[in-house]
């Protein structure tokens, strides 16, 4: 399967299919740098009123932030590298979210599977991917590469049964939609501020003995500062402004310098380290299958 296999004009088609080698998602979603911009994606989700309300009531991000992050990353890896199980994972998430509804004090009923919020979760992933390339790759994506990648996201949204009305036709239309959402629909929420507080000071796992918690706090403090810094820096300025977050020219230079360093060191890491475990094993399995196919094709007839 190649990126060219995704056709924006057929985005209303019901076909759901797993991803495979040859797609940009297959090559890049599983990289450990995914976690750097995942923070801004989740922050943008918590600024959408329905998602904020549902997350506020049902999510464990405050009480078990590390566990929630690990489960979320594992789930995303399944979307891309799970093969036939990728569709099952999408269905599992839809079933899980079907009951995650809440009513806010103003009497508004919020449903996790409402078409707009459900689509917004995946739209923030599209933004995070292109933002990741902007800072943490050797070069930003070209307009043609962004459009080709967007065709893949159309398939991902189809796998998650996102309503066709929520899917812009191409990357140019997506950019217009995304900008309008950030500037005119996202809101400052308590959930968003709580999330920023949580990532800045990562709580220890619940099973960690109390005696070890001071050591944990010292150990993860640099990680929390880094994740907070990158999350704020890769969040759109309009969203930062709504949340009252400051970002200076000096901060931007530091983030670009960090990105330059990461873009040149991560490719030097062994593949087992460069990719999250599910992604690494899926890629290794595909190479094994390709070698087996080569041997089979060369057998005497």
């Amino acid at each position: 399967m190649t990126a060219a296999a995704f056709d924006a004009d057929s985005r209303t088609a019901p076909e759901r299919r797993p991803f495979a080698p040859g797609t940009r998602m297959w090559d890049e979603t599983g990289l450990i740098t995914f976690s750097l911009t995942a923070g801004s994606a989740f922050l943008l989700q918590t600024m959408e009123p329905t998602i904020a309300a549902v997350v506020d009531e049902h999510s464990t991000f405050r009480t078990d932030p590390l566990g929630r992050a690990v489960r979320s990353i594992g789930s995303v890896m399944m979307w891309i590298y799970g093969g036939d199980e990728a569709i099952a994972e999408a269905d599992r998430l839809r079933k899980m979210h079907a009951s995650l509804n809440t009513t806010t004090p103003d009497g508004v009923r919020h449903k996790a599977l409402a078409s707009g919020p459900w689509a917004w979760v995946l739209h923030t992933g599209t933004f995070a991917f292109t933002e990741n390339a902007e800072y943490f790759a050797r070069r930003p994506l070209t307009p043609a590469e962004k459009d080709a990648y967007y065709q893949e996201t159309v398939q991902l949204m189809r796998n998650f049964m996102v309503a066709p009305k929520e899917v812009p036709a191409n990357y140019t239309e997506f950019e217009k939609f995304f900008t309008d959402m950030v500037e005119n629909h996202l809101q400052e929420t308590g959930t968003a501020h709580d999330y920023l507080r949580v990532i800045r000071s990562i709580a220890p796992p619940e099973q960690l003995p109390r005696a070890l918690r001071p050591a944990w706090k010292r150990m993860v403090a640099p990680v929390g500062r880094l994740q907070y810094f990158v999350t704020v820096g890769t969040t759109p300025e309009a969203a930062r402004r709504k949340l009252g977050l400051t970002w200076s020219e000096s901060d931007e230079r530091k983030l670009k310098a960090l990105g330059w360093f990461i873009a040149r060191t991560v490719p030097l890491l062994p593949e087992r380290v460069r990719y999250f475990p599910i992604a690494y094993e899926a890629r290794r399995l595909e190479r094994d299958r390709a070698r087996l196919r080569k041997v089979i094709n060369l057998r005497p007839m």
Side-chain angles (χ1 to χ4, degrees), residues 6 9 22 51 140 142 145 188 235 253 259:
F6 300 104
D9 291 335
I51 297 176
T142 66
E145 287 172 330
E188 179 182 21
T235 295
R253 288 193 296 271

Side-chain angles (χ1 to χ4, degrees), residues 2-300:
T2 65
F6 300 104
D7 181 2
D9 291 335
S10 64
R11 67 188 184 280
T12 58
E15 183 181 1
R16 304 166 75 198
R17 57 178 182 265
F19 287 83
T23 58
R24 196 168 198 114
M25 283 194 179
W26 179 274
D27 288 336
E28 300 182 28
T29 302
L31 291 168
I32 56 175
T33 49
F34 165 84
S35 61
L36 291 170
T37 48
S40 59
F42 189 71
L43 180 61
L44 291 169
Q45 292 168 31
T46 61
M47 294 179 70
E48 198 286 325
T50 289
I51 297 176
V54 171
V55 167
D56 183 46
E57 181 170 334
H58 297 285
S59 177
T60 61
F61 81 93
R62 297 185 185 91
T63 57
D64 183 26
L66 193 61
R68 187 208 65 82
V70 169
R71 290 189 295 272
S72 295
I73 290 174
S75 181
V76 172
M77 295 302 108
M78 286 296 295
W79 303 357
I80 310 303
Y81 303 99
D84 291 339
E85 292 185 59
I87 304 301
E89 175 66 8
D91 290 341
R92 182 188 73 83
L93 291 175
R94 283 189 62 88
K95 182 178 180 180
M96 181 182 76
H97 284 80
S99 61
L100 300 185
N101 307 317
T102 188
T103 301
T104 48
D106 57 4
V108 177
R109 179 74 169 166
H110 296 278
K111 298 182 178 181
L113 286 187
S115 66
W118 184 247
W120 181 242
V121 172
L122 297 174
H123 286 315
T124 62
T126 301
F127 163 78
F129 183 91
T130 53
E131 196 74 351
N132 189 296
E134 186 74 25
Y135 286 99
F136 304 112
R138 285 185 175 270
R139 61 172 180 80
L141 299 177
T142 66
E145 287 172 330
K146 288 179 180 179
D147 207 51
Y149 167 72
Y150 184 71
Q151 309 315 312
E152 297 183 18
T153 70
V154 170
Q155 182 62 52
L156 182 62
M157 289 185 278
R158 186 178 299 140
N159 290 351
F160 273 80
M161 300 176 67
V162 170
K165 68 178 181 177
E166 306 292 351
V167 183
N170 51 50
Y171 190 80
T172 300
E173 292 303 312
F174 165 77
E175 284 188 304
K176 294 176 183 177
F177 158 80
F178 185 84
T179 299
D180 177 67
M181 276 290 297
V182 173
E183 293 183 350
N184 301 314
H185 298 280
L186 298 191
Q187 301 176 8
E188 179 182 21
T189 67
T191 307
H193 284 293
D194 284 351
Y195 173 67
L196 288 168
R197 175 182 54 79
V198 164
I199 63 172
R200 197 168 194 170
S201 180
I202 305 170
E206 294 180 352
Q207 64 271 26
L208 188 71
R210 186 175 297 274
L212 297 178
R213 296 194 173 194
W216 166 272
K217 186 175 182 179
R218 290 192 298 271
M219 181 180 67
V220 303
V223 178
R225 288 195 296 270
L226 175 64
Q227 185 65 67
Y228 178 87
F229 177 74
V230 172
T231 295
V232 174
T234 55
T235 295
E237 174 57 32
R240 287 198 297 253
R241 187 170 60 251
K242 289 183 179 185
L243 294 172
L245 302 174
T246 59
W247 188 254
S248 66
E249 292 183 1
S250 174
D251 291 330
E252 184 68 14
R253 288 193 296 271
K254 290 176 184 177
L255 181 59
K256 287 183 176 179
L258 174 66
W260 185 94
F261 176 77
I262 290 174
R264 283 150 183 80
T265 55
V266 168
L268 302 178
L269 299 173
E271 186 180 28
R272 183 181 291 275
V273 178
R274 198 164 68 247
Y275 284 88
F276 287 107
I278 291 175
Y280 168 74
E281 293 296 343
R283 292 170 60 83
R284 186 170 68 88
L285 178 60
E286 287 301 322
R287 287 195 297 271
D288 289 344
R289 286 174 175 165
R291 284 193 292 269
L292 174 59
R293 174 47 54 191
K294 183 177 180 180
V295 173
I296 289 174
N297 291 342
L298 292 175
R299 75 189 187 282

